[in-house]
Amino acid sequence: MYTPRAFAEADLAGLDRLVERDPFVSLITSGSDGLPFASHLPVLYRRAGDEVLLEGHWARPNPQAGHAGPALVIVHGPHAYISPGWYPDKKDLPRVPTWNYAVAHLYGTLETFDDSTALADLVDRLSLRFEASVGSDWRFEHDRPDHVSQLRGIVGFRFRAERIELKFKLNQNHPEANVRNAAAALQALPGDNPRQVAALMLDRLARRTTE
C-alpha cells in the first residue's frame, strides 16, 4: 500500500478501533489462475501486543475455502471527500480535491479447519459477538442436530498477521486552519462517515499540537 510518511500510523490501537467499527473485512488470496481472489467476511479479532489473530469462515463452495498460505486482509475505516473550497489558504496555494480515509492492510498466513467441534465453537462465538450488536440473542445450539448439520456447509480459518500497515490520511500535511475548517465542514454533513473522519482528523491534530 502506498503510504507517505505523514499518513503512516504505528499505534495498533488504531487497528483495534477500525475493527471494532467495522469487522467486515476483505480477504484476498491468489486464485488458481494467478489473479487475486477476494471474499468479504465478518471476523472475530484478537490482539495481544503485536500478535493479531482473525477468525472466520467461508461457505464451503467458495473457491477460496481451504486456501492455506499467504493472504491479505483489508480492514476498512471511515472515508470522506474533502473539498479544496474548505481550506482558508485556497486563494494563496494551489489546493486540490482529495479523499480522507483510514484503512489497514494485514499480511499474513491462513490456517484452515473443518472439524465440527472447532466450527461449532467458532459459530457460537460469532453469534455471541454479532447478535448483541443488533439486540437479538440467537445462539448456536450444540445439541441440536439441525444446527450441527449446517456446519458441513462451511470451512473455518484463522489468520495470523505477520505485517501490518495502517494508513490514516487525514490532512496531516496541511496547516492547522485547513484541518479545522475541513473537519467542521464534514461535521455539518449527513451520515456517519463524514463525522467519523472529522473526529479522526481532530484527534490527529490534537496529537500534532501536543508533540
Side-chain angles (χ1 to χ4, degrees), residues 5-38:
R5 182 176 299 179
F7 305 143
E9 179 76 13
D11 187 354
L12 290 183
L15 175 62
D16 299 341
R17 289 189 288 271
L18 288 186
V19 181
E20 176 63 27
R21 172 191 174 274
D22 187 359
F24 192 72
V25 306
S26 298
L27 173 59
I28 301 167
T29 58
S30 293
S32 58
D33 56 2
L35 296 175
F37 189 95

PDB file of all heavy atoms in Angstrom, residues 5-38:
ATOM      1  N   ARG A   5       4.897   9.069   4.470  1.00  0.00           N
ATOM      2  CA  ARG A   5       5.256   9.044   5.893  1.00  0.00           C
ATOM      3  C   ARG A   5       4.257   9.804   6.757  1.00  0.00           C
ATOM      4  O   ARG A   5       3.956   9.399   7.883  1.00  0.00           O
ATOM      5  CB  ARG A   5       6.665   9.629   6.069  1.00  0.00           C
ATOM      6  CG  ARG A   5       7.154   9.598   7.512  1.00  0.00           C
ATOM      7  CD  ARG A   5       8.580  10.102   7.612  1.00  0.00           C
ATOM      8  NE  ARG A   5       9.501   9.279   6.828  1.00  0.00           N
ATOM      9  CZ  ARG A   5      10.805   9.526   6.737  1.00  0.00           C
ATOM     10  NH1 ARG A   5      11.334  10.572   7.352  1.00  0.00           N
ATOM     11  NH2 ARG A   5      11.571   8.733   6.028  1.00  0.00           N
ATOM     12  N   ALA A   6       3.722  10.902   6.242  1.00  0.00           N
ATOM     13  CA  ALA A   6       2.798  11.720   7.038  1.00  0.00           C
ATOM     14  C   ALA A   6       1.521  10.966   7.399  1.00  0.00           C
ATOM     15  O   ALA A   6       0.854  11.289   8.386  1.00  0.00           O
ATOM     16  CB  ALA A   6       2.437  12.994   6.284  1.00  0.00           C
ATOM     17  N   PHE A   7       1.179   9.953   6.601  1.00  0.00           N
ATOM     18  CA  PHE A   7      -0.080   9.246   6.815  1.00  0.00           C
ATOM     19  C   PHE A   7       0.101   7.873   7.463  1.00  0.00           C
ATOM     20  O   PHE A   7      -0.888   7.156   7.672  1.00  0.00           O
ATOM     21  CB  PHE A   7      -0.813   9.069   5.481  1.00  0.00           C
ATOM     22  CG  PHE A   7      -1.036  10.352   4.734  1.00  0.00           C
ATOM     23  CD1 PHE A   7      -0.948  10.384   3.345  1.00  0.00           C
ATOM     24  CD2 PHE A   7      -1.319  11.532   5.400  1.00  0.00           C
ATOM     25  CE1 PHE A   7      -1.152  11.551   2.641  1.00  0.00           C
ATOM     26  CE2 PHE A   7      -1.522  12.721   4.713  1.00  0.00           C
ATOM     27  CZ  PHE A   7      -1.435  12.734   3.325  1.00  0.00           C
ATOM     28  N   ALA A   8       1.319   7.483   7.763  1.00  0.00           N
ATOM     29  CA  ALA A   8       1.572   6.177   8.370  1.00  0.00           C
ATOM     30  C   ALA A   8       1.205   6.217   9.852  1.00  0.00           C
ATOM     31  O   ALA A   8       1.565   7.159  10.574  1.00  0.00           O
ATOM     32  CB  ALA A   8       3.033   5.794   8.201  1.00  0.00           C
ATOM     33  N   GLU A   9       0.512   5.197  10.315  1.00  0.00           N
ATOM     34  CA  GLU A   9       0.091   5.080  11.715  1.00  0.00           C
ATOM     35  C   GLU A   9       0.786   3.872  12.328  1.00  0.00           C
ATOM     36  O   GLU A   9       0.702   2.762  11.786  1.00  0.00           O
ATOM     37  CB  GLU A   9      -1.423   4.915  11.784  1.00  0.00           C
ATOM     38  CG  GLU A   9      -1.988   4.758  13.177  1.00  0.00           C
ATOM     39  CD  GLU A   9      -2.050   6.067  13.943  1.00  0.00           C
ATOM     40  OE1 GLU A   9      -1.884   7.134  13.329  1.00  0.00           O
ATOM     41  OE2 GLU A   9      -2.258   6.010  15.165  1.00  0.00           O
ATOM     42  N   ALA A  10       1.466   4.071  13.442  1.00  0.00           N
ATOM     43  CA  ALA A  10       2.227   2.984  14.061  1.00  0.00           C
ATOM     44  C   ALA A  10       1.506   2.341  15.241  1.00  0.00           C
ATOM     45  O   ALA A  10       1.786   1.195  15.585  1.00  0.00           O
ATOM     46  CB  ALA A  10       3.586   3.504  14.512  1.00  0.00           C
ATOM     47  N   ASP A  11       0.579   3.060  15.861  1.00  0.00           N
ATOM     48  CA  ASP A  11      -0.086   2.575  17.070  1.00  0.00           C
ATOM     49  C   ASP A  11      -1.177   1.560  16.691  1.00  0.00           C
ATOM     50  O   ASP A  11      -2.154   1.914  16.025  1.00  0.00           O
ATOM     51  CB  ASP A  11      -0.684   3.760  17.820  1.00  0.00           C
ATOM     52  CG  ASP A  11      -1.252   3.372  19.170  1.00  0.00           C
ATOM     53  OD1 ASP A  11      -1.284   2.159  19.495  1.00  0.00           O
ATOM     54  OD2 ASP A  11      -1.682   4.282  19.918  1.00  0.00           O
ATOM     55  N   LEU A  12      -1.026   0.315  17.129  1.00  0.00           N
ATOM     56  CA  LEU A  12      -2.005  -0.718  16.792  1.00  0.00           C
ATOM     57  C   LEU A  12      -3.352  -0.507  17.478  1.00  0.00           C
ATOM     58  O   LEU A  12      -4.324  -1.180  17.144  1.00  0.00           O
ATOM     59  CB  LEU A  12      -1.451  -2.098  17.128  1.00  0.00           C
ATOM     60  CG  LEU A  12      -0.312  -2.591  16.237  1.00  0.00           C
ATOM     61  CD1 LEU A  12       0.096  -4.002  16.629  1.00  0.00           C
ATOM     62  CD2 LEU A  12      -0.707  -2.546  14.768  1.00  0.00           C
ATOM     63  N   ALA A  13      -3.419   0.427  18.409  1.00  0.00           N
ATOM     64  CA  ALA A  13      -4.732   0.783  18.955  1.00  0.00           C
ATOM     65  C   ALA A  13      -5.621   1.332  17.843  1.00  0.00           C
ATOM     66  O   ALA A  13      -6.851   1.201  17.898  1.00  0.00           O
ATOM     67  CB  ALA A  13      -4.588   1.819  20.066  1.00  0.00           C
ATOM     68  N   GLY A  14      -5.005   1.923  16.815  1.00  0.00           N
ATOM     69  CA  GLY A  14      -5.775   2.378  15.661  1.00  0.00           C
ATOM     70  C   GLY A  14      -6.424   1.221  14.930  1.00  0.00           C
ATOM     71  O   GLY A  14      -7.561   1.325  14.456  1.00  0.00           O
ATOM     72  N   LEU A  15      -5.716   0.091  14.834  1.00  0.00           N
ATOM     73  CA  LEU A  15      -6.294  -1.107  14.230  1.00  0.00           C
ATOM     74  C   LEU A  15      -7.450  -1.632  15.080  1.00  0.00           C
ATOM     75  O   LEU A  15      -8.497  -2.031  14.542  1.00  0.00           O
ATOM     76  CB  LEU A  15      -5.224  -2.178  14.065  1.00  0.00           C
ATOM     77  CG  LEU A  15      -5.694  -3.538  13.559  1.00  0.00           C
ATOM     78  CD1 LEU A  15      -6.305  -3.420  12.171  1.00  0.00           C
ATOM     79  CD2 LEU A  15      -4.535  -4.538  13.553  1.00  0.00           C
ATOM     80  N   ASP A  16      -7.271  -1.637  16.402  1.00  0.00           N
ATOM     81  CA  ASP A  16      -8.356  -2.074  17.298  1.00  0.00           C
ATOM     82  C   ASP A  16      -9.638  -1.302  17.002  1.00  0.00           C
ATOM     83  O   ASP A  16     -10.727  -1.880  16.899  1.00  0.00           O
ATOM     84  CB  ASP A  16      -7.977  -1.844  18.766  1.00  0.00           C
ATOM     85  CG  ASP A  16      -6.736  -2.607  19.204  1.00  0.00           C
ATOM     86  OD1 ASP A  16      -6.364  -3.578  18.517  1.00  0.00           O
ATOM     87  OD2 ASP A  16      -6.156  -2.223  20.234  1.00  0.00           O
ATOM     88  N   ARG A  17      -9.504   0.021  16.850  1.00  0.00           N
ATOM     89  CA  ARG A  17     -10.685   0.863  16.638  1.00  0.00           C
ATOM     90  C   ARG A  17     -11.316   0.620  15.271  1.00  0.00           C
ATOM     91  O   ARG A  17     -12.540   0.636  15.140  1.00  0.00           O
ATOM     92  CB  ARG A  17     -10.309   2.330  16.819  1.00  0.00           C
ATOM     93  CG  ARG A  17     -10.023   2.705  18.280  1.00  0.00           C
ATOM     94  CD  ARG A  17      -9.875   4.199  18.467  1.00  0.00           C
ATOM     95  NE  ARG A  17      -8.639   4.703  17.913  1.00  0.00           N
ATOM     96  CZ  ARG A  17      -7.487   4.775  18.574  1.00  0.00           C
ATOM     97  NH1 ARG A  17      -7.411   4.361  19.835  1.00  0.00           N
ATOM     98  NH2 ARG A  17      -6.406   5.262  17.996  1.00  0.00           N
ATOM     99  N   LEU A  18     -10.472   0.391  14.258  1.00  0.00           N
ATOM    100  CA  LEU A  18     -11.017   0.128  12.929  1.00  0.00           C
ATOM    101  C   LEU A  18     -11.823  -1.164  12.907  1.00  0.00           C
ATOM    102  O   LEU A  18     -12.916  -1.222  12.335  1.00  0.00           O
ATOM    103  CB  LEU A  18      -9.893   0.049  11.893  1.00  0.00           C
ATOM    104  CG  LEU A  18      -9.184   1.344  11.505  1.00  0.00           C
ATOM    105  CD1 LEU A  18      -8.206   1.078  10.354  1.00  0.00           C
ATOM    106  CD2 LEU A  18     -10.174   2.431  11.106  1.00  0.00           C
ATOM    107  N   VAL A  19     -11.287  -2.218  13.521  1.00  0.00           N
ATOM    108  CA  VAL A  19     -12.003  -3.499  13.516  1.00  0.00           C
ATOM    109  C   VAL A  19     -13.258  -3.421  14.376  1.00  0.00           C
ATOM    110  O   VAL A  19     -14.297  -4.002  14.034  1.00  0.00           O
ATOM    111  CB  VAL A  19     -11.095  -4.649  13.986  1.00  0.00           C
ATOM    112  CG1 VAL A  19     -11.850  -5.967  13.957  1.00  0.00           C
ATOM    113  CG2 VAL A  19      -9.849  -4.752  13.118  1.00  0.00           C
ATOM    114  N   GLU A  20     -13.184  -2.719  15.486  1.00  0.00           N
ATOM    115  CA  GLU A  20     -14.364  -2.560  16.337  1.00  0.00           C
ATOM    116  C   GLU A  20     -15.467  -1.831  15.567  1.00  0.00           C
ATOM    117  O   GLU A  20     -16.646  -2.180  15.659  1.00  0.00           O
ATOM    118  CB  GLU A  20     -14.008  -1.780  17.601  1.00  0.00           C
ATOM    119  CG  GLU A  20     -15.185  -1.479  18.519  1.00  0.00           C
ATOM    120  CD  GLU A  20     -15.841  -2.727  19.090  1.00  0.00           C
ATOM    121  OE1 GLU A  20     -15.166  -3.763  19.228  1.00  0.00           O
ATOM    122  OE2 GLU A  20     -17.055  -2.655  19.404  1.00  0.00           O
ATOM    123  N   ARG A  21     -15.076  -0.831  14.790  1.00  0.00           N
ATOM    124  CA  ARG A  21     -16.034  -0.064  13.991  1.00  0.00           C
ATOM    125  C   ARG A  21     -16.653  -0.915  12.895  1.00  0.00           C
ATOM    126  O   ARG A  21     -17.850  -0.843  12.630  1.00  0.00           O
ATOM    127  CB  ARG A  21     -15.344   1.147  13.383  1.00  0.00           C
ATOM    128  CG  ARG A  21     -16.184   1.920  12.377  1.00  0.00           C
ATOM    129  CD  ARG A  21     -15.362   2.931  11.613  1.00  0.00           C
ATOM    130  NE  ARG A  21     -16.160   3.555  10.564  1.00  0.00           N
ATOM    131  CZ  ARG A  21     -16.327   3.049   9.339  1.00  0.00           C
ATOM    132  NH1 ARG A  21     -15.731   1.905   9.020  1.00  0.00           N
ATOM    133  NH2 ARG A  21     -17.066   3.683   8.446  1.00  0.00           N
ATOM    134  N   ASP A  22     -15.817  -1.726  12.213  1.00  0.00           N
ATOM    135  CA  ASP A  22     -16.305  -2.498  11.067  1.00  0.00           C
ATOM    136  C   ASP A  22     -15.526  -3.798  10.948  1.00  0.00           C
ATOM    137  O   ASP A  22     -14.461  -3.831  10.321  1.00  0.00           O
ATOM    138  CB  ASP A  22     -16.164  -1.672   9.787  1.00  0.00           C
ATOM    139  CG  ASP A  22     -16.821  -2.352   8.590  1.00  0.00           C
ATOM    140  OD1 ASP A  22     -17.362  -3.466   8.760  1.00  0.00           O
ATOM    141  OD2 ASP A  22     -16.797  -1.780   7.490  1.00  0.00           O
ATOM    142  N   PRO A  23     -16.024  -4.891  11.543  1.00  0.00           N
ATOM    143  CA  PRO A  23     -15.336  -6.179  11.496  1.00  0.00           C
ATOM    144  C   PRO A  23     -15.640  -6.983  10.228  1.00  0.00           C
ATOM    145  O   PRO A  23     -15.407  -8.189  10.181  1.00  0.00           O
ATOM    146  CB  PRO A  23     -15.846  -6.891  12.742  1.00  0.00           C
ATOM    147  CG  PRO A  23     -17.225  -6.367  12.915  1.00  0.00           C
ATOM    148  CD  PRO A  23     -17.196  -4.943  12.439  1.00  0.00           C
ATOM    149  N   PHE A  24     -16.183  -6.321   9.199  1.00  0.00           N
ATOM    150  CA  PHE A  24     -16.480  -6.964   7.920  1.00  0.00           C
ATOM    151  C   PHE A  24     -15.330  -6.634   6.975  1.00  0.00           C
ATOM    152  O   PHE A  24     -15.217  -5.509   6.486  1.00  0.00           O
ATOM    153  CB  PHE A  24     -17.814  -6.450   7.377  1.00  0.00           C
ATOM    154  CG  PHE A  24     -18.344  -7.258   6.214  1.00  0.00           C
ATOM    155  CD1 PHE A  24     -18.854  -8.533   6.409  1.00  0.00           C
ATOM    156  CD2 PHE A  24     -18.339  -6.738   4.935  1.00  0.00           C
ATOM    157  CE1 PHE A  24     -19.358  -9.271   5.350  1.00  0.00           C
ATOM    158  CE2 PHE A  24     -18.845  -7.468   3.869  1.00  0.00           C
ATOM    159  CZ  PHE A  24     -19.352  -8.731   4.071  1.00  0.00           C
ATOM    160  N   VAL A  25     -14.443  -7.603   6.719  1.00  0.00           N
ATOM    161  CA  VAL A  25     -13.167  -7.344   6.058  1.00  0.00           C
ATOM    162  C   VAL A  25     -13.150  -7.920   4.649  1.00  0.00           C
ATOM    163  O   VAL A  25     -14.003  -8.723   4.266  1.00  0.00           O
ATOM    164  CB  VAL A  25     -11.995  -7.935   6.869  1.00  0.00           C
ATOM    165  CG1 VAL A  25     -12.027  -7.444   8.312  1.00  0.00           C
ATOM    166  CG2 VAL A  25     -12.012  -9.473   6.818  1.00  0.00           C
ATOM    167  N   SER A  26     -12.144  -7.522   3.884  1.00  0.00           N
ATOM    168  CA  SER A  26     -11.865  -8.122   2.580  1.00  0.00           C
ATOM    169  C   SER A  26     -10.658  -9.038   2.739  1.00  0.00           C
ATOM    170  O   SER A  26      -9.596  -8.594   3.180  1.00  0.00           O
ATOM    171  CB  SER A  26     -11.570  -7.039   1.537  1.00  0.00           C
ATOM    172  OG  SER A  26     -12.688  -6.199   1.357  1.00  0.00           O
ATOM    173  N   LEU A  27     -10.839 -10.303   2.371  1.00  0.00           N
ATOM    174  CA  LEU A  27      -9.781 -11.309   2.460  1.00  0.00           C
ATOM    175  C   LEU A  27      -9.340 -11.652   1.039  1.00  0.00           C
ATOM    176  O   LEU A  27     -10.142 -12.120   0.225  1.00  0.00           O
ATOM    177  CB  LEU A  27     -10.304 -12.547   3.181  1.00  0.00           C
ATOM    178  CG  LEU A  27      -9.390 -13.773   3.229  1.00  0.00           C
ATOM    179  CD1 LEU A  27      -8.069 -13.449   3.922  1.00  0.00           C
ATOM    180  CD2 LEU A  27     -10.085 -14.935   3.926  1.00  0.00           C
ATOM    181  N   ILE A  28      -8.059 -11.426   0.745  1.00  0.00           N
ATOM    182  CA  ILE A  28      -7.563 -11.549  -0.626  1.00  0.00           C
ATOM    183  C   ILE A  28      -6.443 -12.585  -0.685  1.00  0.00           C
ATOM    184  O   ILE A  28      -5.493 -12.544   0.108  1.00  0.00           O
ATOM    185  CB  ILE A  28      -7.051 -10.189  -1.136  1.00  0.00           C
ATOM    186  CG1 ILE A  28      -8.198  -9.160  -1.086  1.00  0.00           C
ATOM    187  CG2 ILE A  28      -6.515 -10.297  -2.559  1.00  0.00           C
ATOM    188  CD1 ILE A  28      -7.762  -7.739  -1.271  1.00  0.00           C
ATOM    189  N   THR A  29      -6.585 -13.501  -1.639  1.00  0.00           N
ATOM    190  CA  THR A  29      -5.568 -14.521  -1.894  1.00  0.00           C
ATOM    191  C   THR A  29      -5.329 -14.589  -3.401  1.00  0.00           C
ATOM    192  O   THR A  29      -6.031 -13.947  -4.186  1.00  0.00           O
ATOM    193  CB  THR A  29      -6.030 -15.901  -1.386  1.00  0.00           C
ATOM    194  OG1 THR A  29      -7.266 -16.246  -2.027  1.00  0.00           O
ATOM    195  CG2 THR A  29      -6.234 -15.887   0.127  1.00  0.00           C
ATOM    196  N   SER A  30      -4.343 -15.371  -3.806  1.00  0.00           N
ATOM    197  CA  SER A  30      -4.105 -15.609  -5.226  1.00  0.00           C
ATOM    198  C   SER A  30      -4.932 -16.805  -5.673  1.00  0.00           C
ATOM    199  O   SER A  30      -4.876 -17.873  -5.051  1.00  0.00           O
ATOM    200  CB  SER A  30      -2.621 -15.872  -5.483  1.00  0.00           C
ATOM    201  OG  SER A  30      -1.865 -14.710  -5.241  1.00  0.00           O
ATOM    202  N   GLY A  31      -5.707 -16.627  -6.757  1.00  0.00           N
ATOM    203  CA  GLY A  31      -6.522 -17.705  -7.269  1.00  0.00           C
ATOM    204  C   GLY A  31      -5.713 -18.693  -8.086  1.00  0.00           C
ATOM    205  O   GLY A  31      -4.527 -18.489  -8.356  1.00  0.00           O
ATOM    206  N   SER A  32      -6.352 -19.756  -8.500  1.00  0.00           N
ATOM    207  CA  SER A  32      -5.662 -20.790  -9.286  1.00  0.00           C
ATOM    208  C   SER A  32      -5.183 -20.257 -10.635  1.00  0.00           C
ATOM    209  O   SER A  32      -4.273 -20.811 -11.244  1.00  0.00           O
ATOM    210  CB  SER A  32      -6.591 -21.988  -9.496  1.00  0.00           C
ATOM    211  OG  SER A  32      -7.786 -21.583 -10.163  1.00  0.00           O
ATOM    212  N   ASP A  33      -5.805 -19.154 -11.107  1.00  0.00           N
ATOM    213  CA  ASP A  33      -5.392 -18.544 -12.363  1.00  0.00           C
ATOM    214  C   ASP A  33      -4.313 -17.490 -12.179  1.00  0.00           C
ATOM    215  O   ASP A  33      -3.920 -16.809 -13.126  1.00  0.00           O
ATOM    216  CB  ASP A  33      -6.599 -17.918 -13.076  1.00  0.00           C
ATOM    217  CG  ASP A  33      -7.329 -16.896 -12.192  1.00  0.00           C
ATOM    218  OD1 ASP A  33      -6.872 -16.645 -11.055  1.00  0.00           O
ATOM    219  OD2 ASP A  33      -8.370 -16.390 -12.638  1.00  0.00           O
ATOM    220  N   GLY A  34      -3.828 -17.343 -10.930  1.00  0.00           N
ATOM    221  CA  GLY A  34      -2.793 -16.359 -10.649  1.00  0.00           C
ATOM    222  C   GLY A  34      -3.318 -14.972 -10.365  1.00  0.00           C
ATOM    223  O   GLY A  34      -2.539 -14.076 -10.012  1.00  0.00           O
ATOM    224  N   LEU A  35      -4.622 -14.767 -10.506  1.00  0.00           N
ATOM    225  CA  LEU A  35      -5.218 -13.461 -10.251  1.00  0.00           C
ATOM    226  C   LEU A  35      -5.701 -13.363  -8.803  1.00  0.00           C
ATOM    227  O   LEU A  35      -5.996 -14.384  -8.180  1.00  0.00           O
ATOM    228  CB  LEU A  35      -6.392 -13.232 -11.205  1.00  0.00           C
ATOM    229  CG  LEU A  35      -6.042 -13.168 -12.695  1.00  0.00           C
ATOM    230  CD1 LEU A  35      -7.313 -13.064 -13.527  1.00  0.00           C
ATOM    231  CD2 LEU A  35      -5.111 -12.002 -12.985  1.00  0.00           C
ATOM    232  N   PRO A  36      -5.815 -12.147  -8.265  1.00  0.00           N
ATOM    233  CA  PRO A  36      -6.330 -12.003  -6.907  1.00  0.00           C
ATOM    234  C   PRO A  36      -7.773 -12.482  -6.815  1.00  0.00           C
ATOM    235  O   PRO A  36      -8.564 -12.299  -7.741  1.00  0.00           O
ATOM    236  CB  PRO A  36      -6.237 -10.497  -6.643  1.00  0.00           C
ATOM    237  CG  PRO A  36      -5.242  -9.989  -7.631  1.00  0.00           C
ATOM    238  CD  PRO A  36      -5.388 -10.849  -8.841  1.00  0.00           C
ATOM    239  N   PHE A  37      -8.103 -13.106  -5.679  1.00  0.00           N
ATOM    240  CA  PHE A  37      -9.461 -13.552  -5.397  1.00  0.00           C
ATOM    241  C   PHE A  37      -9.853 -12.976  -4.044  1.00  0.00           C
ATOM    242  O   PHE A  37      -9.089 -13.094  -3.073  1.00  0.00           O
ATOM    243  CB  PHE A  37      -9.546 -15.079  -5.371  1.00  0.00           C
ATOM    244  CG  PHE A  37     -10.956 -15.594  -5.307  1.00  0.00           C
ATOM    245  CD1 PHE A  37     -11.628 -15.958  -6.460  1.00  0.00           C
ATOM    246  CD2 PHE A  37     -11.625 -15.709  -4.089  1.00  0.00           C
ATOM    247  CE1 PHE A  37     -12.944 -16.433  -6.413  1.00  0.00           C
ATOM    248  CE2 PHE A  37     -12.935 -16.168  -4.035  1.00  0.00           C
ATOM    249  CZ  PHE A  37     -13.590 -16.536  -5.198  1.00  0.00           C
ATOM    250  N   ALA A  38     -11.024 -12.343  -3.963  1.00  0.00           N
ATOM    251  CA  ALA A  38     -11.434 -11.662  -2.734  1.00  0.00           C
ATOM    252  C   ALA A  38     -12.737 -12.236  -2.194  1.00  0.00           C
ATOM    253  O   ALA A  38     -13.671 -12.535  -2.946  1.00  0.00           O
ATOM    254  CB  ALA A  38     -11.597 -10.175  -2.985  1.00  0.00           C
TER     255      ALA A  38
END
